[in-house]
Every structure is written in structure tokens, then in C-alpha cells.
Amino acid sequence: MDDVRVYGDFHRVSPELFERIKDALPFDQVEYDGDVLRLDHEGVYLMIDDFLELMRDLLPEGGYGHVEYIDNLEWVVIRYTITPGRIDEKRVLVDNVLDAHMRDHGM
């Protein structure tokens, strides 16, 4: 099993912004279509703090992004929401997600 799975997307990423950040992307898979940047990684632990701070500082007005960091060893999901000047983080224990799903669906 891989240590982590990390995926996300950022919106309102101009070609100029992409040129500024492309060398700082720590992800295995990167897809950019001229406005939306999609990122994905499965494997060993990935340090993303510097990248998230860079995006926080460079996103234009109205830009936003989300990154899901699934830690398979610690059994936790961290959801980052990034907007200009701000990073919000929400941690959820995977067991809590599974328990809630099973409760909601009578399992």
C-alpha cells in the first residue's frame, strides 16, 4: 500500500502563474489546461506545505484550490482549501468517515 494519496485542483491559474510555479510542483502528475491546474500523487510521503503557501500567496483574486491529503498509515484525511492569502485545513479520521457512512446507510 502507498503511504499517501494526494490530489487537488486550483482554479483561475493563468499561464503566467503556471510558469511561475511549475518548478515548485511536488506532484507526480500535473495537468494544466490554461485555467485549471490538476495535481495527483500516490506513493511515499509528500511535503506540500511550501507549495500550498506559494499558491496562497500567488493566487489571483477569485482564485481557489482544494487539496486532499490521504495518509494511509496514520488513517487520516486532510482537506486543504486555499484562497488568496488563506489556507484552511480540516482533518478527519478515516474511521470516523467510514463509521458515519455505515450509520447513514444502515450497514
Side-chain angles (χ1 to χ4, degrees):
M1 175 182 354
D2 293 323
D3 295 341
V4 296
R5 168 106 199 275
V6 188
Y7 60 93
D9 56 79
F10 288 86
H11 298 263
R12 307 224 181 7
V13 175
S14 67
E16 295 80 18
L17 175 55
F18 181 71
E19 284 299 314
R20 287 183 70 185
I21 64 167
K22 71 179 182 180
D23 292 332
L25 293 169
F27 296 85
D28 298 333
Q29 298 177 30
V30 175
E31 180 184 325
Y32 176 65
D33 71 7
D35 184 55
V36 178
L37 174 63
R38 290 183 177 81
L39 310 163
D40 201 346
H41 168 82
E42 286 188 62
V44 298
Y45 279 97
L46 184 67
M47 299 300 295
I48 63 171
D49 293 345
D50 290 344
F51 172 73
L52 295 179
E53 291 170 2
L54 180 67
M55 293 305 291
R56 172 199 64 200
D57 296 341
L58 295 179
L59 275 174
E61 182 72 28
Y64 61 96
H66 302 282
V67 175
E68 305 285 340
Y69 195 105
I70 304 165
D71 185 327
N72 292 319
L73 300 179
E74 295 295 324
W75 212 233
V76 66
V77 177
I78 306 168
R79 179 174 182 121
Y80 298 95
T81 302
I82 302 90
T83 54
R86 184 176 178 133
I87 300 172
D88 292 309
E89 176 183 320
K90 180 179 181 182
R91 292 176 173 266
V92 178
L93 296 176
V94 174
D95 285 337
N96 292 350
V97 172
L98 294 173
D99 291 345
H101 178 76
M102 290 171 56
R103 181 190 63 243
D104 293 346
H105 296 284
M107 302 172 120

